[in-house]
Amino acid sequence: MTFNFDAGTKRLALKSKLPQVGETIFSTMSALALQHQAINLGQGFPDFGSDPALLNHVTQAMQEGCNQYAPMAGVLLLRERIAKKTLDLYGRSYDPVHEITVTNGASQAIFTILQAIVQPGDEVIVLDPCYDSYDPSIQLAGGKAVHVQLIPLSFAPDLDGIRAALSPRTRALILNTPHNPTATVWTQEQMRALADLLASTQVLLISDEVYEHMVFDDATHQSVARHADLAERAYIVSSFGKTFHVTGWKVGYVLAPADLMREYQKAHQFNVFCVATPLQHGLARYLADPAPYLELPKFYQRKRDFFRQGLLTTRFKLLPCQGSYFQCVDYSSLSDLSEVEFCQWLTRQAGVAAIPLSVFYQQPTEQKLIRFCFAKKDATLETAIERLAKL
Ligand SMILES: Cc1ncc(COP(=O)(O)O)c(C=O)c1O
């Protein structure tokens, strides 16, 4: 950190490590939604409760006295259950003792992975539009984010673009499927092509799979864990916050081969040490039954269909939604405003908050696209649609 003492004002001025970063758009839009009593379809969180059984498990764990520090890598039973879930779903075995760490949500996991693997000057490839924590986390680790755009408007990976971005400094690539914000899902062929592309490199993979259980129609979640040649170079990240409707708990996990996990844990033990103990015990007990996550695709597919059906009564044009709990729409028949301005206008005038896609890009990109979150009660979605239909 660099402090400059300003003799004139007699104040210390801190030189920012992230000068270009301000408040996130999610906070800005949520505050605007609150101010205008708008329905918040902007930030990605459910407005419905989670399973009372899960809450009971956590409460019980607390009352039983599970309230002191947990083991650094996480409560063993939880790691064992994560290993079983991964093996059952994706056919890959991770050793609960050496290859799994419980984290304070996915963002912390990604931040700490980058701290563990990025050396000053290393490059990390990210695929735009992408989740807003990636670039600053790379910078804080001393690295440089190299942005490659997903192909507009299919948002498929641009493998030639990735190939062209690879350099001797490339340390890692961050992949996210199902994808926030575009709701696309990588196919098996795309994963194979990525594996071929990386085969002769030393590039590590950070696979952000927080929406792993929100995949619709006949698509299959292509976890990196399904692909041996990718998994051997990968950190895979998931989030119980997303899966069990408890985003405020911020509990997730990382899977990685033992040698990669060893380096991860060196950073994790000083960055976090451990995650809230009763939450871990509660989640471990809840995971004994796979039904809640196995039923999640059906649960969200019904919400997606309900929301899309409603949007057909509006002037928005729908983009496909194969996974995640986001629906992107094109508003070009409604307005010429920029995406940010349109979202502000929509919040004030229609009483519905959304997120502009442009904020997920490093390069200024205007496509007249905005993102809605449909992880909401049917009544919330219904009211939002009524308001949107009036435009
Ligand atoms: C793609 C993606 N990665 C990571 C996260 C963060 O997950 P968590 O709340 O578990 O930190 C989010 C949350 O919105 C996300 O959309």
Side-chain angles (χ1 to χ4, degrees):
M1 265 185 236
T2 310
F3 291 98
N4 298 318
F5 185 72
D6 183 326
T9 60
K10 298 205 168 19
R11 284 169 57 190
L12 287 170
L14 172 63
K15 183 161 180 262
S16 175
K17 291 179 78 174
L18 296 172
Q20 76 290 13
V21 171
E23 184 181 69
T24 76
I25 186 75
F26 307 103
S27 308
T28 309
M29 291 311 300
S30 291
L32 197 66
L34 204 64
Q35 187 189 341
H36 294 276
Q37 294 177 341
I39 296 173
N40 191 354
L41 302 190
Q43 204 172 359
F45 64 90
D47 72 345
F48 43 84
S50 73
D51 188 345
L54 173 58
L55 306 185
N56 286 340
H57 283 311
V58 172
T59 310
Q60 214 170 7
M62 234 179 244
Q63 284 166 346
E64 283 169 12
C66 302
N67 298 308
Q68 306 309 327
Y69 292 130
M72 188 268 282
V75 165
L76 185 59
L77 181 63
L78 179 56
R79 284 182 278 148
E80 286 168 351
R81 297 231 152 119
I82 293 168
K84 179 167 182 343
K85 164 167 133 33
T86 309
L87 181 63
D88 290 351
L89 292 178
Y90 309 128
R92 188 167 187 83
S93 180
Y94 283 90
D95 171 6
V97 176
H98 300 111
E99 300 186 320
I100 299 177
T101 305
V102 180
T103 66
N104 276 305
S107 296
Q108 177 262 303
I110 294 165
F111 186 89
T112 308
I113 293 165
L114 290 163
Q115 290 293 328
I117 65 171
V118 170
Q119 306 275 351
D122 280 356
E123 296 173 358
V124 179
I125 298 177
V126 297
L127 308 178
D128 283 2
C130 71
Y131 186 57
D132 66 343
S133 83
Y134 300 164
D135 189 311
S137 302
I138 294 165
Q139 284 186 57
L140 288 173
K144 178 175 169 239
V146 176
H147 292 254
V148 176
Q149 292 204 2
L150 295 167
I151 299 168
L153 287 165
S154 68
F155 301 110
D158 174 1
L159 291 157
D160 291 334
I162 296 173
R163 189 178 294 109
L166 289 170
S167 87
R169 300 304 318 246
T170 309
R171 190 81 194 99
L173 179 146
I174 306 184
L175 152 70
N176 169 218
T177 181
H179 189 245
N180 174 14
T182 67
T184 51
V185 168
W186 280 50
T187 63
Q188 191 175 4
E189 293 68 39
Q190 288 165 342
M191 292 302 238
R192 296 263 25 98
L194 182 69
D196 290 346
L197 185 58
L198 298 183
S200 61
T201 73
Q202 296 290 312
V203 174
L204 299 175
L205 203 56
I206 301 171
S207 186
D208 180 345
E209 304 186 10
V210 299
Y211 301 105
E212 62 176 319
H213 302 296
M214 300 169 205
V215 174
F216 312 131
D217 306 320
D218 40 16
T220 309
H221 172 53
Q222 287 300 318
S223 174
V224 158
R226 289 183 190 273
H227 301 269
D229 39 3
L230 289 175
E232 69 188 15
R233 61 172 77 230
Y235 290 96
I236 300 176
V237 175
S238 190
S239 168
F240 289 120
K242 303 289 184 189
T243 301
F244 295 138
H245 319 306
V246 285
T247 58
W249 288 7
K250 294 296 268 188
V251 185
Y253 57 90
V254 187
L255 311 170
D259 50 346
L260 297 188
M261 188 54 82
R262 205 171 308 116
E263 284 309 306
Y264 172 82
Q265 289 184 347
K266 287 183 193 172
H268 179 93
Q269 67 184 334
F270 298 120
N271 175 214
V272 176
F273 190 70
C274 68
V275 172
T277 308
L279 297 183
Q280 293 196 59
H281 282 281
L283 284 162
R285 294 170 196 181
Y286 189 61
L287 275 174
D289 178 9
Y293 60 80
L294 292 180
E295 286 163 7
L296 207 65
K298 201 164 133 226
F299 173 83
Y300 272 119
Q301 182 164 330
R302 195 199 62 76
K303 282 208 178 289
R304 178 202 65 168
D305 293 345
F306 180 75
F307 188 51
R308 283 174 70 88
Q309 197 62 35
L311 284 173
L312 292 178
T313 65
T314 72
R315 289 169 62 195
F316 291 104
K317 201 171 117 214
L318 279 78
L319 270 61
C321 171
Q322 303 165 319
S324 81
Y325 48 43
F326 300 113
Q327 172 66 55
C328 291
V329 296
D330 175 323
Y331 64 84
S332 56
S333 70
L334 274 162
S335 170
D336 287 331
L337 290 174
S338 73
E339 293 178 9
V340 169
E341 288 166 341
F342 183 74
C343 284
Q344 290 166 343
W345 177 86
L346 195 67
T347 308
R348 291 196 189 99
Q349 301 303 319
V352 179
I355 300 288
L357 241 67
S358 55
V359 302
F360 296 88
Y361 285 88
Q362 185 209 28
Q363 294 291 331
T365 306
E366 284 291 338
Q367 302 169 102
K368 302 256 180 294
L369 296 178
I370 59 172
R371 186 200 80 178
F372 291 122
C373 169
F374 57 80
K376 307 291 168 190
K377 292 177 197 147
D378 287 2
T380 312
L381 296 174
E382 226 160 39
T383 314
I385 288 160
E386 274 166 27
R387 294 182 182 186
L388 296 173
K390 287 190 190 133
L391 295 174

